[in-house]
Amino acid sequence: MRLRHLGLPVHNVDRSLTFYATYFGFDPAAARTYPDGTVIVRDADGFDLALHAAEETKSPTFFHFGFALPTPEAVHAVRARLETDGVPIVERDDEPDLVSFKCEDPDGWRVEVYWEP
């Protein structure tokens, strides 16, 4: 059994699709729109992100999801790119056994980018 998708309520589907395509490798060309307006977009590993327009998108403080990278340098590079683009970084760890950060997507969902040996 494998976790294969995550559904997120978002204020603006196009804005969120652009965010996840720009920073996390989801392919907007392969996005499919369903009759209820949900847009499902897939990354290179076959993970589906379901973006659904909603008026309320409250994110509890602990709730987050993460993207693993192969090196600490790769984590630092993504963080630098997000910071340059003005994306809020809300948490950082730079330890021998964990290099990570959490940022907020356009709707305030926390996204972790991390490396572990």
Side-chain angles (χ1 to χ4, degrees):
M1 184 181 309
R2 295 182 2 197
L3 180 64
R4 297 294 307 207
H5 79 269
L6 173 69
L8 287 179
V10 299
H11 289 292
N12 181 307
V13 171
D14 291 332
R15 178 182 69 179
S16 294
L17 182 58
T18 298
F19 178 83
Y20 287 101
T22 299
Y23 300 111
F24 299 107
F26 286 87
D27 181 7
R32 294 179 56 198
T33 302
Y34 288 81
D36 68 353
T38 299
V39 172
I40 297 182
V41 61
R42 182 169 287 168
D43 71 6
D45 293 325
F47 187 84
D48 291 332
L49 186 60
L51 304 171
H52 184 80
E55 290 186 27
E56 291 196 33
T57 61
K58 295 184 181 178
S59 172
T61 304
F62 180 76
F63 179 83
H64 66 279
F65 50 96
F67 295 90
L69 291 177
T71 66
E73 296 78 17
V75 173
H76 293 149
V78 172
R79 186 180 71 210
R81 182 173 178 209
L82 287 159
E83 287 177 321
T84 297
D85 291 347
V87 175
I89 305 298
V90 296
E91 189 177 312
R92 299 169 189 243
D93 285 301
D94 206 343
E95 306 295 330
D97 291 333
L98 174 67
V99 175
S100 74
F101 69 89
K102 290 182 181 130
C103 65
E104 289 185 351
D105 83 355
D107 291 289
W109 295 109
R110 289 184 179 213
V111 181
E112 182 174 19
V113 178
Y114 67 97
W115 165 87
E116 292 178 303

